[in-house]
Amino acid sequence: MADQQAAPAGPDLSQGVALSNSPARSCLGNVGDEDVLLVRSGSEIFAVDAHCSHYHGPLAEGLVDGESIRCPWHHACFDLRTGEATRAPALNSIAVWKVEHEGNRIFVRQKREQPKLSVKGAVDAPARIVIVGGGAAGFAAAEMLRRQEYRGSIVMLSNEAAAPVDRPNLSKDYLAGSAPEDWLPLRPESFTPTRVSICGSGPRSHRSIPRREP
C-alpha cells in the first residue's frame, strides 16, 4: 500500500551512537531517509530495515526472539542476520545493514549484499508435496519450498482456479475502490514457483506451472 513519506525517526546512525546508548533490545534510527532498526541479540548488534515487507508494520514494536524479529501486525518473522522472511505472511526479505564498531561507538552506513540461502535439501524429501488450500498460507509454503530448492512437484488443492491473491487487499481496499487490481496478486505473472499445479473446481480448474530454471 502506498503511504506518505514520513521524516526519518531516531538518531542518524551514520553519525554513530555510543555503545552506552545501544539498545537493550532494539532502537529505531535512520540512515539518510531510510528508517533502520538496531537490534541486540546476545552479544551481537544487528541493523535491519525498520518496516515489515508485508504491510510496512513497525518492527520496532515487534518481538525479538534470538536472531529473529516478529512483526507486531501479522506476525511475519525475519532473520536478523540475513533479512530472510522465515514465516508468512511476508514473502520478501528485508534489507540488512552493516554494523561497524569504532571505539565506543556504533556506526551504520551501508546495506549488506543480500546473502543467498544455503539450505541442504533433505535426503529423504518426497517426490511430491500436496498443499491443501490455494490462499496466501498455501502459497507461502510453496514459495518457501522453492526458495529452499525443493526439486519435486508441488500440488496445491483449491476451489479457485485463479492464482493466490492478497485477500486483505481484495476484501478491503479493492472492493472499496481504493486499490488497483494489480495490487491483488501475491506474485507477478512472471513468477513461477517450483512445478506447481493449482487445482480448482471451475471450468479452468487445472493449471500446471513448470519450475523456472535459474
Side-chain angles (χ1 to χ4, degrees):
M1 295 183 185
D3 30 24
Q4 295 181 345
Q5 186 72 30
D12 183 351
L13 301 178
S14 67
Q15 300 301 312
V17 292
L19 277 171
S20 58
N21 295 332
S22 62
R25 206 58 170 164
S26 64
C27 173
L28 182 61
N30 68 82
V31 177
D33 59 358
E34 298 187 67
D35 291 332
V36 177
L37 186 67
L38 284 180
V39 181
R40 182 185 292 275
S41 176
S43 60
E44 292 190 80
I45 296 178
F46 300 95
V48 297
D49 277 356
H51 300 285
C52 176
S53 63
H54 179 230
Y55 272 154
H56 209 65
L59 294 181
E61 300 175 15
L63 175 68
V64 178
D65 181 16
E67 292 187 1
S68 69
I69 188 165
R70 178 176 300 199
C71 178
W73 285 6
H74 303 103
H75 298 212
C77 288
F78 301 91
D79 188 304
L80 291 170
R81 195 174 294 279
T82 66
E84 180 73 17
T86 58
R87 182 174 298 181
L91 299 175
N92 298 319
S93 61
I94 57 175
V96 175
W97 296 71
K98 185 177 181 181
V99 176
E100 300 174 273
H101 295 258
E102 297 180 10
N104 67 341
R105 296 179 69 80
I106 298 171
F107 293 83
V108 180
R109 300 185 179 102
Q110 61 184 357
K111 294 179 182 179
R112 290 186 178 276
E113 184 178 348
Q114 198 71 34
K116 290 185 177 181
L117 279 178
S118 178
V119 179
K120 295 181 179 179
V123 175
D124 57 349
R128 170 175 291 186
I129 291 177
V130 177
I131 298 173
V132 180
F139 181 80
E143 201 268 351
M144 179 59 78
L145 286 166
R146 177 180 183 275
R147 278 189 281 157
Q148 295 192 353
E149 299 185 356
Y150 172 70
R151 296 296 180 180
S153 66
I154 301 172
V155 175
M156 296 178 67
L157 302 179
S158 173
N159 61 359
E160 298 178 7
V165 298
D166 187 331
R167 297 196 181 191
N169 259 333
L170 174 64
S171 63
K172 297 176 183 177
D173 298 287
Y174 179 73
L175 294 182
S178 58
E181 187 173 345
D182 59 7
W183 282 12
L184 300 183
L186 290 174
R187 290 292 198 194
E189 283 292 326
S190 59
F191 181 83
T192 53
T194 306
R195 200 166 294 172
V196 173
S197 298
I198 301 176
C199 306
S201 57
R204 293 180 295 169
S205 61
H206 185 274
R207 178 172 58 171
S208 294
I209 306 175
R211 176 176 59 82
R212 184 173 61 187
E213 297 296 335

